């Protein structure tokens, strides 16, 4: 039986998540080649040292690859990479696939998917749940929607980057699901930080609160992981606060469009906006704790 040729894969966006995800593709040895691009080109160097190829534009990556993945900051970054000069659209063609794993809204994803389809390419959205450590460990949860053939084709890549993937239907469904998930996460983090702040003001040990929460029905890995960062008020970024605020903003816009009241998420969004205004945008999203602190 003829051997199935290995895919040539590309990766756009080597931030906290993208670097780890591209590295896992590279380390797996499952692909004929891994080609990377990042707006700030210096960030390609570590992966190139490990065996990746590097290109100067998104179009050059797409031109050389069967499937190109992207993990970019937000809707404007995702659109820029596709529609900008020497963007994905300049090189996408029949036989090529594009998988955008960034967290964006449905309108962004749909616009990208339609443009790719117009050029004969296949498009899949694949936002992920899980932060820096799950990305390094290849343990992300992948929410995918769009072209089912492309979804099937990239299973080997998804298996390397994640622990489970879900095919949710037509383009937009994964973007919506990811925003709902992150709306819950942002609201939980906001409530947790308020609890930590109130405990402190009320003369209680925050470590005791953490332990008590951890033993009951509210126990969850996020409180256990972020609690110590909050207690030390030191927030090295795993999930940058500006991205969590972007996700709350996009989830609230989805709620507006569907006439769904979201008062808890709206309040959490205000706390994240406040923390951003106080200079914590690039710190971990646990820094929303700083919004609870009054002078
Ligand atoms: N960190 C996390 O825990 C998780 C993040 N996500 C989502 O994944 C995506 C990436 O997150 P993360 O890796 O943390 O983010 P980072 O801020 O670390 O990286 C963002 C990436 O986007 C690139 N970028 C930003 N603006 C542009 C632009 N206009 N044109 C081209 N490239 C651009 C950056 O390039 P440059 O290096 O040049 O700035 C960088 O490669 C986001 O959508 C986020 O919401 C999802 C799950 C978990
Ligand atoms: O989007 C962030 C995450 O941790 O998931």
């Amino acid at each position: 039986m003829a051997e199935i040729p290995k895919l040539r894969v590309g990766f756009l966006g080597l931030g906290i998540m993208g670097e780890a995800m591209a590295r896992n593709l590279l380390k797996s040895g499952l692909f004929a080649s891994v080609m990377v691009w990042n707006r700030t080109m210096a960030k390609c160097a570590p992966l190139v040292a490990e065996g990746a190829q590097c290109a100067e534009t998104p179009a050059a990556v797409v031109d050389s690859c069967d499937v190109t993945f992207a993990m970019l900051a937000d809707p404007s970054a995702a659109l820029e990479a596709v529609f900008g000069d020497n963007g994905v659209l300049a090189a996408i063609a029949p036989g090529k696939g594009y998988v955008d794993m960034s967290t964006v809204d449905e309108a962004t994803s749909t616009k990208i998917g339609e443009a790719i389809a117009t050029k004969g390419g296949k498009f899949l959205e694949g936002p992920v749940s899980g932060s820096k450590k799950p990305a390094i460990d290849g343990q992300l949860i992948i929410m995918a929607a769009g072209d089912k053939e492309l979804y099937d084709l990239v299973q080997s890549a998804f298996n390397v980057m994640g622990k489970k993937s879900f095919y949710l239907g037509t383009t937009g469904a994964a973007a919506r699901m990811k925003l709902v998930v992150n709306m819950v996460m942002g609201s939980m983090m906001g409530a947790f930080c308020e609890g930590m702040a109130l405990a402190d003001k009320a003369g209680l040990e925050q470590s005791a609160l953490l332990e008590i929460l951890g033993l009951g029905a509210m126990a969850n890995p996020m409180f256990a992981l972020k609690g110590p960062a909050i207690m030390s008020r030191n927030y090295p970024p795993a999930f940058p606060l500006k991205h969590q605020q972007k996700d709350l903003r996009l989830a609230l816009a989805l709620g507006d469009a569907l006439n769904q009241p979201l008062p808890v998420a709206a309040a959490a969004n205000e706390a994240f906006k406040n923390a951003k205004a106080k200079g914590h945008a690039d710190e971990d999203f646990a820094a929303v704790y700083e919004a609870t602190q009054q002078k």
Side-chain angles (χ1 to χ4, degrees):
M1 208 164 67
E3 218 179 285
I4 302 170
K6 288 180 174 179
L7 289 176
R8 297 165 301 165
V9 297
F11 208 102
L12 311 181
L14 305 175
I16 293 171
M17 298 296 285
E19 180 182 356
M21 293 158 78
R23 179 168 288 115
N24 282 335
L25 294 176
L26 190 60
K27 277 197 318 196
S28 73
L30 291 173
F31 305 101
S33 56
V34 177
M35 182 176 275
V36 297
W37 170 85
N38 194 67
R39 180 182 61 173
T40 307
M41 289 296 290
K43 289 193 192 168
C44 296
L47 287 166
V48 169
E50 294 166 39
Q53 298 162 359
C54 176
E56 292 203 347
T57 65
V61 174
V62 172
D63 194 45
S64 297
C65 296
D66 303 304
V67 179
T68 301
F69 298 87
M71 192 58 162
L72 298 160
D74 53 23
S76 73
L79 291 168
E80 172 79 22
V82 172
F83 295 98
D85 286 347
N86 295 311
V88 170
L89 214 52
I92 197 85
K96 292 183 183 291
Y98 185 60
V99 184
D100 191 349
M101 306 184 77
S102 324
T103 305
V104 298
D105 56 322
E106 177 169 9
T108 299
S109 211
T110 302
K111 186 171 177 185
I112 292 172
E114 286 175 356
I116 301 260
T118 304
K119 300 285 295 285
K122 292 183 188 301
F123 176 70
L124 193 68
E125 50 180 13
V128 305
S129 217
S131 194
K132 182 177 176 177
K133 176 86 165 58
I136 291 170
D137 295 343
Q139 292 291 303
L140 296 168
I141 303 153
I142 299 169
M143 292 154 267
D147 192 290
K148 179 65 165 59
E149 277 181 26
L150 182 54
Y151 175 76
D152 292 338
L153 183 71
V154 298
Q155 277 310 297
S156 54
F158 280 177
N159 288 337
V160 162
M161 294 188 279
K163 62 179 173 186
K164 187 164 172 78
S165 72
F166 294 83
Y167 181 75
L168 299 172
T170 52
T171 300
R176 294 196 302 275
M177 181 65 86
K178 173 61 183 167
L179 291 181
V180 172
V181 169
N182 272 32
M183 183 190 82
V184 173
M185 185 166 78
S187 300
M188 278 175 67
M189 181 58 91
F192 177 51
C193 286
E194 286 189 359
M196 292 288 271
L198 181 60
D200 189 41
K201 275 264 171 73
L204 304 168
E205 287 295 332
Q206 289 180 323
S207 57
L209 172 63
L210 262 187
E211 200 174 343
I212 291 163
L213 287 173
L215 289 170
M218 281 176 284
N220 71 79
M222 186 174 84
F223 291 178
L225 187 67
K226 303 299 182 181
I230 291 165
M231 284 189 292
S232 64
R233 297 182 69 176
N234 180 27
Y235 314 102
F239 180 36
L241 185 140
K242 64 186 175 192
H243 293 332
Q244 174 64 85
Q245 196 274 316
K246 171 255 304 178
D247 296 349
L248 281 164
R249 174 171 60 78
L250 297 177
L252 290 170
L254 179 62
D256 273 357
L258 298 173
N259 210 16
Q260 172 63 45
L262 299 169
V264 174
N269 186 42
E270 291 305 315
F272 279 94
K273 280 163 61 181
N274 182 315
K276 243 173 80 172
K278 286 179 156 181
H280 301 285
D282 294 320
E283 294 180 325
D284 191 69
F285 78 129
V288 72
Y289 180 73
E290 298 302 321
T292 66
Q293 301 300 297
Q294 290 162 338
K295 284 243 161 63

